Amino acid sequence: MNKEALKAQALIWPSIEPLLTSLDPLEQKEFHDRFSALFPSFFDNLRHLYGHRWDFFYQVQSLTTALAEAWVNRNRDLKALDRARNQDSQWFRRESMVGAMVYVDLFAKDLTGFRKKLAYFEELGVTYLHLMPLFLAPEKESDGGYAVSDYRQVNPSLGTTQELRTLATELRAKGISLVLDFIFNHTSNEHTWAQEAKAGKEEYRDYYWIFADKADADAYNRTLRDIFPDARPGSFSYVPEVDGWVWTTFNTYQWDLNYQNPAVFIAMVKEMLFLANLGAEVLRLDALAFCWKELGTSCENLPKAHTLIQSFRAAAAIAAPALAFKSEAIVHPDEVVKYIDKTECEISYNPLLMALLWETLATRNTDLLRVSMQKRFTIPGDTAWVNYIRCHDDIGWTFADEDAWELGINPQGHRRFLNDFYIGEFPGSFSRGVPFQYNPLTGDCRVSGTAASLAGLEKSLTLEEPRAKKVEEEMAIARLLALHGIILAIGGLPVLYLGDENGQINDYTYAREPGKSKDSRWVHRPAFEWTKKSWNTRVREGIQKMITLRKAYPTLGTGGTQIVDGCSNQVFAFVRDGERRRFFVITNMTDRPASIPGNELRLQGFYPRAWDALTGEKVTCDQDSLTLAPYQQLWLVPGENFT
Ligand code: OTU
């Protein structure tokens, strides 16, 4: 073990111990044990980031003081959760876990209304609930709350911080984990720190990346990618109040924090622990790929970004150990996996599965999906994917170019095709998406749209001829159920984007709203529809049934996943293995019947018959082949009987 870290620990501990005296002996010991176990590697990481600073030791001291204080302030309920999670470190992978993400205002106006509607989540079977950003943010435009002005004050239009705390407790009592965003790459330009910087305080100018000389900003800009090219070319905005160029990766009102300054790290650790002690059980690390910046690099996914996130992780593990981290890295798949580790983020969005599911619907070919998943689906056993169909953001086609080339697919051409297809311009497309952040310089584009609109429901509504209309509607519903079935059965934590479970279509009214009109992602952020049409009910019932089924079988939670080759390039198939049950989930991803060789079933041990757990119907496996209807999905279990 590192001697210097141990020396530092011995020096620091005496100043920490007195802070804990108000706690009972068990709680004191818990903190001490975690501190001893984690401090050495934590210290090493911090030294790697900040060790060159004259004040390094003081910074470490003030940081560890903050950790002790957060533990002292953590309530009994949450400390009990800390102990429970310690006994069940796999909790986020269990079959019982079904996630949902939702905007409080779009769902129920405010927190008071929201608390009255919790039954909706219970009925659906939700056990993980991500509330979209709900803290104080600029009034006019706030990137849907992703520009935070105060991490401790709930936006008054939604309610109070106390109400959020109460909600967290209510949810926990119902077995639902509260998930909040940790928007740590940037604050809004109205945050106190930004205000102080504008008022000329050097200390706070240092919280951000502000260059008095444009040439200095340009030097960085040369190697950066434009993230929101529609908003502004380049990553810097001139701000007269600071008479300088401010680093704004996203919108001009989102100021990137300067983590080369340890004061920023410590300040944000405190905000993080505030969220943890408020009752958040999972934090979604927003835009984490961008958090560390170095001249001459892309400033994305840098090694020190990982060191920084591991440092946040260690701080949480010492002061609020139940807290889990979710990575939001929508980048090259090789980079996505680097954030996934129990010392960094134990769960991560799976943007690759999301994008490729849509890709197969457009191409009617599952090769790229299968090849990519065979290579990339497996992650460490103590971590999990968050699998999703849609979220509040656009769809970017982040598959690996090399995977495409392997199959003879030109990746750039393919992305153009996918964009054309999903914005409904490709002949015969069923989709009604909207382009997002088209970059004329690179030809890059992403797609907005609700799952239902992308899957064909919106188009079906525009058809006049009743038969054609009906066919299109049936296909769209089947597509929606097929995609949801895959995320519910493939392993990891499925997360529904609320509204999708009802097949809600695009809402174009954003185009008339001043703060939203330039951001097409609002098209897929409609107000929740409480009155139901027949298709809403059918989508909802289909998804509900699969949720119930998932929850009945531990295999579908922590069981292993094996992507199966050789069925047919019309189907996507995987086997789930667990102690008591084996599932073979096969989906026809095309609008034509697909047949799979009987031998594939028999090779997987499905002989002489199997049962489709979705319908409870018998499936004979002793034929030459088995035919699946368009978009049909089977959850096969072997055996004579299905119970
Ligand atoms: C995230 O997404 C959020 O999910 C967005 O809603 C925010 O606007 C943004 O951060 C800023 O807070 O660009 O289009 O490569 O793609 O982090 C979505 C990663 C985004 C980025 C992702 C970002």
Side-chain angles (χ1 to χ4, degrees), residues 368-427:
L368 186 55
L369 172 64
R370 197 180 56 254
V371 165
S372 305
M373 287 304 131
Q374 273 175 336
K375 267 201 227 174
R376 304 174 185 278
F377 190 78
T378 307
I379 50 174
D382 46 14
T383 65
W385 286 119
V386 167
N387 293 313
Y388 64 113
I389 303 303
R390 288 296 292 115
C391 69
H392 69 294
D393 279 334
D394 50 289
I395 300 180
W397 308 106
T398 58
F399 56 82
D401 286 6
E402 54 278 25
D403 295 358
W405 284 122
E406 223 173 84
L407 293 162
I409 299 169
N410 173 321
Q412 284 320 324
H414 200 49
R415 289 190 180 99
R416 265 197 304 277
F417 158 70
L418 292 167
N419 283 323
D420 282 353
F421 187 92
Y422 279 105
I423 63 174
E425 281 183 3
F426 191 82

Side-chain angles (χ1 to χ4, degrees), residues 101 103 130 132-133 142-147 181 183-186 225 227-228 249-251 253-254 284-290 300-301 328-332 349 391-396 398 436-437 446 519 521 525:
M101 55 190 294
Y103 286 90
H130 174 202
M132 297 305 291
S142 69
D143 189 15
Y146 280 97
D181 278 274
I183 302 157
F184 73 112
N185 176 68
H186 44 265
R225 169 169 83 100
I227 305 301
F228 282 176
T249 299
F250 298 95
N251 293 292
Y253 51 85
Q254 289 163 301
R284 171 190 181 279
L285 269 62
D286 181 60
L288 80 183
F290 301 88
E300 281 183 59
N301 310 304
E328 190 255 341
I330 316 300
V331 291
H332 189 286
Y349 281 103
C391 69
H392 69 294
D393 279 334
D394 50 289
I395 300 180
T398 58
F436 177 67
Q437 299 293 338
R446 283 121 78 182
D519 188 336
R521 291 176 297 175
R525 298 169 183 172

Side-chain angles (χ1 to χ4, degrees), residues 69-362:
E69 284 167 355
W71 176 245
V72 170
N73 291 330
R74 194 158 166 85
N75 71 34
R76 271 173 200 284
D77 256 21
L78 289 166
K79 282 177 177 157
L81 184 74
D82 293 330
R83 289 169 204 127
R85 293 288 193 245
N86 192 29
Q87 298 298 311
D88 182 18
S89 58
Q90 300 287 293
W91 66 278
F92 48 79
R93 295 177 63 208
R94 300 215 174 277
E95 71 282 4
S96 57
M97 294 306 293
V98 172
M101 55 190 294
V102 66
Y103 286 90
V104 169
D105 55 342
L106 297 176
F107 189 76
K109 201 168 153 278
D110 55 20
L111 284 170
T112 313
F114 196 85
R115 286 172 52 207
K116 294 193 186 122
K117 295 201 157 125
L118 299 188
Y120 185 81
F121 305 109
E122 289 179 278
E123 276 163 32
L124 198 58
V126 169
T127 51
Y128 160 117
L129 189 60
H130 174 202
L131 301 187
M132 297 305 291
L134 69 178
F135 288 94
L136 191 70
E139 225 167 84
K140 235 176 75 219
E141 236 186 296
S142 69
D143 189 15
Y146 280 97
V148 180
S149 303
D150 185 338
Y151 295 91
R152 302 188 186 211
Q153 192 196 333
V154 164
N155 199 319
S157 65
L158 295 173
T160 64
T161 306
Q162 186 48 41
E163 236 176 319
L164 180 58
R165 197 189 304 273
T166 309
L167 173 65
T169 311
E170 287 167 349
L171 289 173
R172 199 165 329 107
K174 295 180 188 298
I176 302 175
S177 299
L178 174 66
V179 184
L180 293 178
D181 278 274
F182 182 43
I183 302 157
F184 73 112
N185 176 68
H186 44 265
T187 71
S188 89
N189 59 349
E190 293 180 7
H191 191 284
T192 332
W193 303 333
Q195 312 250 26
E196 297 283 13
K198 287 186 217 167
K201 291 220 182 95
E202 270 313 309
E203 186 191 344
Y204 288 98
R205 211 177 151 100
D206 261 4
Y207 269 49
Y208 300 96
W209 290 85
I210 302 176
F211 298 101
D213 188 346
K214 180 161 188 298
D216 292 332
D218 288 344
Y220 278 93
N221 230 342
R222 240 163 259 143
T223 49
L224 303 180
R225 169 169 83 100
D226 284 6
I227 305 301
F228 282 176
D230 267 7
R232 170 212 61 242
S235 293
F236 294 85
S237 309
Y238 180 75
V239 177
E241 294 103 312
V242 296
D243 188 20
W245 293 82
V246 180
W247 198 314
T248 55
T249 299
F250 298 95
N251 293 292
T252 51
Y253 51 85
Q254 289 163 301
W255 291 17
D256 287 47
L257 285 164
N258 171 18
Y259 280 100
Q260 302 214 350
N261 176 359
V264 171
F265 174 66
I266 297 171
M268 286 305 285
V269 163
K270 291 181 187 166
E271 302 311 283
M272 171 183 83
L273 295 174
F274 179 84
L275 296 176
N277 283 351
L278 193 65
E281 297 185 20
V282 178
L283 291 185
R284 171 190 181 279
L285 269 62
D286 181 60
L288 80 183
F290 301 88
C291 67
W292 193 269
K293 305 167 194 328
E294 277 167 32
L295 187 64
T297 72
S298 66
C299 299
E300 281 183 59
N301 310 304
L302 295 185
K304 282 188 178 167
H306 292 282
T307 314
L308 182 72
I309 297 159
Q310 285 164 16
S311 304
F312 275 117
R313 186 81 197 88
I318 293 171
L323 191 69
F325 278 12
K326 173 169 63 167
S327 160
E328 190 255 341
I330 316 300
V331 291
H332 189 286
D334 288 345
E335 299 297 337
V336 172
V337 294
K338 291 186 189 158
Y339 296 93
I340 310 175
D341 189 276
K342 72 171 193 299
T343 63
E344 206 164 325
C345 295
E346 52 269 80
I347 58 179
S348 163
Y349 281 103
N350 190 350
L352 185 61
L353 177 65
M354 182 278 291
L356 291 178
L357 287 173
W358 291 106
E359 189 265 354
T360 60
L361 292 183

